[in-house]
Structures are given as C-alpha cells and as structure tokens.
Amino acid sequence: MHPFDRALILGGSDECAVGNTSADYANMVGPFGGVTAATMLRAIERRSDVLGEPLSLTVNFLGPIADGAFAIVVRCVRTNRSTQHWYAEFTQGGISMATATAVFGLRRPTWGHAEPDAPWVAFPEDYDVLDFPAGIAWLQNYEIRFVSGGLADIDGIARERSETIQWIRDKPARAIDFAALAALSDSFYPRIYRRLGRMLPAGTVSLTTYFHADGASLAAQQSEPILGVARGQSFGLGFFDQAACLWGRDETLLATSHQLVYFKT
Amino acid sequence: MHPFDRALILGGSDECAVGNTSADYANMVGPFGGVTAATMLRAIERRSDVLGEPLSLTVNFLGPIADGAFAIVVRCVRTNRSTQHWYAEFTQGGISMATATAVFGLRRPTWGHAEPDAPWVAFPEDYDVLDFPAGIAWLQNYEIRFVSGGLADIDGIARERSETIQWIRDKPARAIDFAALAALSDSFYPRIYRRLGRMLPAGTVSLTTYFHADGASLAAQQSEPILGVARGQSFGLGFFDQAACLWGRDETLLATSHQLVYFKT
C-alpha cells in the first residue's frame, strides 16, 4: 500500500472517523498540513451518503497536531439536489485541532476555459529531482523538481517576488485523486522564505482548495507530475497569503488554492 | 443610521444572534451574498469573548435565503494565545442556509509588502458613477465606478479575459470596517458574464476573504472608494472561481478574496 493511502486509513463510523497520524508525513511539528487536509476530505468522501465529488475544501488549523490517534466528527449540514455541504472537526483527546467546511456536488458539462495560461516550462524530466535532507519525513514522499524559485533561492538574499514553480508528484508515483490534490495544494515551502531569503517560523492558518477537475479528468492524469505555481500577495503584521494553481501535465487546470499563513520574523 | 449598519443589527445572545434580512440589500433571489457574509462576521465580532480582529473568513452558501428572520448560531471552537477559531451557522426556521469558519487574532508589527502592484488607474472621480437599473436593491447602496471590464462589456460578445477593475464604496459614503470589506469582496458581477458577454444564472457557493489590513489601517481609509480587481481562473463543469484584490485609495492591499461560483449556461 502507498504511504499516502496508508496515512488516509480511517475507521470508526460515518459520523466519527478515527485514525492515526502517519510517521511518513511528519513535519517539523506534527503532520504535514496537506495530509491533514487530505484526511479530512477523505473522512467526507468515504461517507455512505456523499453526493458527487469535492468542489471546495477549507481547512483551518487550530493548533499543533500531536503524533497519534485522532477522531474526525463529520456532519452533513445540508444536501441539495446537486450540491452537499459539510462540516468536519479534527480532534485529539477531545480538543479541536482543525475544522473543515467542504462543498461536494455533481458536475455537468458546460462551456469551460482556464484563463491563465499554464506556465511555459520544460518537461519534468528536464529538471533535477530535489534531494531533500532526511530531517523532514513528509518531503521524502514527494518527488519535487523546481522550475524556478526553488530552495536554492533561500540564500540569505531578500527577493522582490515570491513565485515558485515546481513539478511534483507522490513518491513512489501514485495516480492522483482529490485527496492527493488537496495535499499538493499545501506542498509549497512558505512564500516568506523566498521573499526574505531565509527560513523562519511559519504555519498555515487557513487553506482553501477549489477543485476544477472532475474525477475522470483527474484519472486521466494518472501518476504524471503536477505543475504547481505559488505566489504570495500580501505580507505583513504576522501573516501572509499564498495563491496557487495546480496544472496537469496535459495543461488542465486541476485546482486553485489559497492559504493564509502565520509567520514570525 | 447607515443602511449597511441597519442590515447588520443583531439581537439575541453571544451564542445565538438573531436578525432580519434587509430590503436595502435584497438581490434577485434573497439578500446580496456580501451582506450575508458581513452579517456572519459581525455575529462573531460582537461576541464578548472575541480575540483581536478578523484574519480570515470563509462563508459557504447552502441555499436561497428568504426575506425575513434568521438566527446565527456562533461557536468559539478554540482560543489560543494569539488566534481564535470560529464556526457559525446561519439558519431560517431551523434550516441551515450558510456556514462560516473564521480566524480572528492579534496582529503584531513585522516586515510587510504587497507583492502585486496596485493597478495603474486614475482617481475615482475621473470615472463615471454607474447608474444601475432600479431592479436590484443592493446595488443602489453602492457607488461603483468601472475602470475596465464594466457592464458595458456584457454586450453579447464573448471575451478572452474576465478581469474587472472598479472603484467602489458604500452609498451614502461610510467609513470602511471589516464587515464592509467582507461585503465588498462579493461586490463584483459574476466573471462568467464577462467571459460569455451575457447574463446567466450564477450564485456564489463558497467565499473566502483574507483581511490583510488591521483596524487602524482600515480606519485610515475613512470613507474613500476602494479599488477592486477581480478575475476568474477556471471556468467549466458548472463552476468558476474568482480571485479578487481590494486596495485602499492609498494603495494599501486591504484584503484578498476568492470564491467558487455555480453557473448554468
């Protein structure tokens, strides 16, 4: 079983999923936020009464999640004809660690277009796979190839722009699904590192992902690398935001994502 | 009393705010989504135990809100040293109509920068105030001056780009606050109108606003017009997204906002 699927194993009931954090996706403090978001999405996806596919997911991070057992209380707030609204709460020892709201629904064919052009980059194979230091577990489970704005730019020199472009996929390769896409939207290193040219304490406070691809379009991506583009828009007063686009190798805009991040200079 | 303040009058208790929808902010079906978002934010802001200022607000719209009475159940999910997490549910006759999660917190001085440049536009006074048809109540309470991508572009001709730039403020003028900023982030006409050059059924499903300005910086804007820039990124399968920036006249990036919108061609 793939480590990502192992991390998303849930027991319990429809109303209260239970699981354990995975050492494979440990971050400096607690698990990688992306895997927490994916786990909360999965707790909804696996519900027997789920309607359609994920359209939108917002996860707020309330405090550092401890390694070990957790429970996710999942409540269907409302089911409409074509959309369904969810609230979920990730708890440990009765203390809330994360909340999620999600919109699921049925998609139907309409006119469509991705308005930004996919960035003009070379094939993933043309970029080196990053060799991460062994210290951070979750990074060992991703194959990241920086196109621009990589870790080499964290060199003590402040920069004017925060954009990073990266090819990324699970390691070992794994066919992408909505949960993996939710995790990928949190896979960029903090934009403040890139602006200030150094690492500093930072943590996501709120993460929203809009899923634009349907299941069939996601399946067509197979396990090919995803092209991610992330940039910050506003930095100040202890917080910054990040806007990201996730593209398939076939130039399909699979998801757009935003997050608000706490930082300490 | 300003119509916006009147619309946000809430009674009831800390745990359950009660109010009535305002005819001043009626939309085609139910109230303007921006005023619903503002009302949910206000239901948290007015809590006796609130910590600091709004940092992030996500409102999901579950179904058409009826004119009349509503209740907002407000729950403080967790209070940390410098952040506080909220969940709120807007109900009518016991049926959930909207959910909100919000992060509040204390800001502190840090390095800061707005990364995109404010758009290069003329002063608000150099653009004509839009004269809206009387049919839609909420629009009568805003002074909108289109810089580009205005309603004149909904002329039956499809376009390649969805951007709209507008100067906007409450009418009559009103000093901006967080609730007003939440409402303004939903004040752009649907991006799909601009792409397809025609009006069609569309409604916001999920709206997120990140507040980058603190209360002092907002107060400094007084009642000057706000410069809003909105564009879509992905259109298809019955949904599109919108990314927006809201700038003060002094070129402060006050808020960034995103929404997912349902549409029907």
Side-chain angles (χ1 to χ4, degrees), chain B residues 214-255:
Chain B
D214 61 5
S217 173
L218 272 193
Q221 308 301 323
Q222 300 181 316
S223 61
E224 290 295 325
I226 301 300
L227 184 64
V229 183
R231 63 197 162 75
Q233 300 183 108
S234 178
F235 300 81
L237 301 173
F239 296 90
F240 69 89
D241 69 344
Q242 174 187 283
C245 289
L246 296 168
W247 301 86
R249 188 169 183 156
D250 63 358
E251 301 192 12
T252 302
L253 183 50
L254 304 174

Side-chain angles (χ1 to χ4, degrees), chain A:
Chain A
M1 189 181 270
H2 193 283
F4 189 75
D5 294 300
R6 215 158 45 218
L8 264 50
I9 293 175
L10 292 172
S13 63
D14 261 14
E15 291 73 23
C16 185
V18 295
N20 278 279
T21 61
S22 164
D24 293 328
Y25 290 88
N27 202 348
M28 282 176 283
V29 180
F32 162 49
V35 94
T36 302
T39 305
M40 295 187 81
L41 187 71
R42 178 55 53 84
I44 300 168
E45 279 183 313
R46 72 176 200 137
R47 286 270 302 221
S48 53
D49 53 350
V50 74
L51 178 74
E53 297 176 341
L55 300 170
S56 166
L57 173 71
T58 296
V59 178
N60 289 357
F61 296 91
L62 280 53
I65 293 170
D67 296 331
F70 60 80
I72 304 175
V73 178
V74 182
R75 183 163 76 89
C76 180
V77 182
R78 179 161 163 173
T79 301
N80 296 318
R81 200 168 45 84
S82 65
T83 56
Q84 193 174 46
H85 292 266
W86 296 92
Y87 177 70
E89 216 167 296
F90 186 111
T91 65
Q92 290 187 310
I95 299 172
S96 296
M97 297 297 180
T99 62
T101 54
V103 187
F104 276 59
L106 305 173
R107 303 172 200 266
R108 56 209 150 56
T110 59
W111 172 83
H113 189 248
E115 190 163 310
D117 294 320
W120 190 257
V121 302
F123 293 124
E125 295 75 17
D126 293 333
Y127 301 95
D128 290 335
V129 174
L130 196 71
D131 195 14
F132 281 110
I136 300 172
W138 74 271
L139 285 170
Q140 311 302 321
N141 296 297
Y142 285 103
E143 178 190 289
I144 298 183
R145 301 163 189 262
F146 286 119
V147 174
S148 61
L151 288 180
D153 284 355
I154 306 175
D155 54 3
I157 299 166
R159 284 182 167 75
E160 287 296 308
R161 291 288 174 261
S162 65
E163 189 178 79
T164 285
I165 304 181
Q166 66 187 22
W167 285 108
I168 183 168
R169 67 170 156 185
D170 288 293
K171 185 170 70 183
R174 174 182 177 277
I176 196 161
D177 54 15
F178 293 106
L181 206 49
L184 286 185
S185 53
D186 195 36
S187 68
F188 301 90
Y189 70 82
R191 302 296 86 204
I192 188 85
Y193 290 11
R194 179 139 161 68
R195 286 303 307 271
L196 298 185
R198 62 189 173 90
M199 294 171 69
L200 59 170
T204 302
V205 171
S206 185
L207 169 69
T208 290
T209 300
Y210 298 148
F211 302 96
H212 301 299
D214 61 5
S217 173
L218 271 192
Q221 307 301 323
Q222 300 182 315
S223 61
E224 290 294 325
I226 301 300
L227 185 63
V229 183
R231 63 197 161 75
Q233 300 184 109
S234 178
F235 300 81
L237 302 173
F239 296 89
F240 69 89
D241 68 345
Q242 175 187 284
C245 289
L246 296 168
W247 301 86
R249 187 168 183 156
D250 63 0
E251 301 193 10
T252 303
L253 183 51
L254 305 174
T256 51
S257 176
H258 310 93
Q259 61 176 275
L260 189 70
V261 185
Y262 155 92
F263 74 95
K264 202 169 165 179
T265 43

